[in-house]
Amino acid sequence: MSEDFYEQIFNKQQKLEAVPSNKEITRWALQVIHLLYPEQTGKVFADVAALKAEFTLLENELCHMMEVTKGCDDCDNKERASRFFKGLPELFRILNTDIQAIFNGDPAAQSEFEVVRTYPGFLAISLYRLAHSLYTDNVPLIPRILTEYAHSKTGIDIHPAAVIGEYFYIDHGTGIVIGESAIIGNHVKLYQGITLGALSVDKSMANTKRHPTVEDHVVIYSGATILGGETIIGNNSLIGGNVWLTKSVPPYSRVYHTPSHRTLKSDEV
């Protein structure tokens, strides 16, 4: 390699912003989740004071991460970190509704402990809800790092800007994509391989509603693709597997894909 190339890479390193590593950011988020759900680690604190001290430590770490990320020079990052942790009781309440939805909806789930400890859907939802809380307070970069970590671990890709209601159920989940401007109501159930995406991708559409709205009590089966910011799936609808939708459907709809099958005779194989 040429000396010019080495010089180019060296100069790039000198300009690198002091953003914490992805590993450090995800470690912080997982520690928050582990405090809320000790089922995941088995760690037990000696008393409430020790637990409170751990939450305070994580609040200070969040403030530090936001300070060095420098997404907003005029922001009061200490206050933003405080707001996030003051919002944890509500976030915890909503996550508990997600656990209930998964446990009640999956016949294979033996206990809520099993859901918390083993289900990739719950891990993806947990990291999304933390990320969404930070995103709505205009925290840069960190929310996307968290949801992309969840994506890499579970195969479930949820943009932190997506708006998702309570009692959110993801079964298996691999291959789910939920776009930035998607809106999902309460008691929605998604199977694997589902895309809630945009009809077209263009940078000029960045601030527009590009992804679908899914109203309350909707079930979407595996392989369904639903596209477009004006597409609305009405409440209490059922969308069958492998359906392709780019238009709205009214409440209580039943939408199915009808495949064409032909059985070959032995001499045709």
Side-chain angles (χ1 to χ4, degrees):
M1 293 183 287
S2 69
E3 289 298 321
D4 286 344
F5 180 74
Y6 287 121
E7 191 71 26
Q8 179 184 354
I9 298 302
F10 177 78
N11 290 335
K12 184 177 181 181
Q13 291 175 348
Q14 307 316 302
K15 297 176 183 178
L16 189 65
E17 295 183 17
V19 176
S21 69
N22 288 14
K23 185 176 181 180
E24 182 180 350
I25 290 170
T26 54
R27 178 199 56 78
W28 169 83
L30 290 172
Q31 283 187 292
V32 173
I33 294 170
H34 294 163
L35 285 182
L36 298 178
Y37 296 100
E39 300 96 316
Q40 295 188 349
T41 62
K43 183 177 180 179
V44 178
F45 289 85
D47 50 44
V48 173
L51 177 63
K52 184 178 179 180
E54 187 70 13
F55 274 113
T56 300
L57 176 63
L58 290 173
E59 182 176 329
N60 292 335
E61 286 187 12
L62 175 59
C63 181
H64 171 72
M65 289 191 298
M66 291 191 293
E67 288 287 345
V68 297
T69 301
K70 294 182 180 177
C72 176
D73 292 331
D74 299 326
C75 294
D76 185 342
N77 288 314
K78 185 176 181 179
E79 176 60 28
R80 288 206 293 187
S82 176
R83 276 198 299 270
F84 173 83
F85 278 87
K86 285 178 181 176
L88 272 186
E90 175 63 8
L91 189 148
F92 181 60
R93 183 193 69 79
I94 295 173
L95 280 172
N96 286 335
T97 72
D98 301 325
I99 295 170
Q100 291 176 40
I102 295 171
F103 175 67
N104 293 334
D106 185 1
Q110 298 299 306
S111 65
E112 292 188 358
F113 179 93
E114 181 183 13
V115 171
V116 172
R117 189 68 176 262
T118 69
Y119 273 54
F122 180 66
L123 175 60
I125 293 169
S126 300
L127 287 166
Y128 153 76
R129 293 212 185 274
L130 261 69
H132 182 71
S133 178
L134 294 169
Y135 184 92
T136 55
D137 204 11
N138 299 311
V139 175
L141 191 61
I142 293 173
R144 193 61 186 271
I145 288 173
L146 296 182
T147 54
E148 287 303 329
Y149 172 80
H151 183 195
S152 70
K153 296 294 288 186
T154 67
I156 299 167
D157 183 0
I158 309 176
H159 194 285
V163 177
I164 300 176
E166 301 178 8
Y167 295 92
F168 186 42
Y169 175 105
I170 290 180
D171 186 78
H172 300 295
T174 307
I176 285 177
V177 177
I178 300 174
E180 178 183 16
S181 58
I183 298 174
I184 297 174
N186 299 321
H187 298 278
V188 171
K189 189 172 185 177
L190 302 184
Y191 288 82
Q192 63 272 18
I194 291 166
T195 298
L196 301 180
L199 269 170
S200 60
V201 180
D202 188 283
K203 198 64 176 178
S204 64
M205 300 172 64
N207 297 316
T208 63
K209 176 81 165 66
R210 309 183 308 281
H211 306 94
T213 295
V214 179
E215 295 183 344
D216 297 347
H217 296 282
V218 169
V219 179
I220 305 176
Y221 284 99
S222 57
T225 299
I226 303 172
L227 306 177
E230 296 182 2
T231 303
I232 299 173
I233 307 302
N235 67 80
N236 292 280
S237 291
L238 187 153
I239 309 301
N242 298 316
V243 164
W244 178 281
L245 268 180
T246 59
K247 294 182 179 180
S248 298
V249 298
Y252 295 92
S253 294
R254 297 293 181 266
V255 183
Y256 297 102
H257 169 70
T258 305
S260 177
H261 294 288
R262 176 171 175 254
T263 303
L264 297 178
K265 298 178 181 178
S266 58
D267 58 354
E268 293 181 295
V269 178

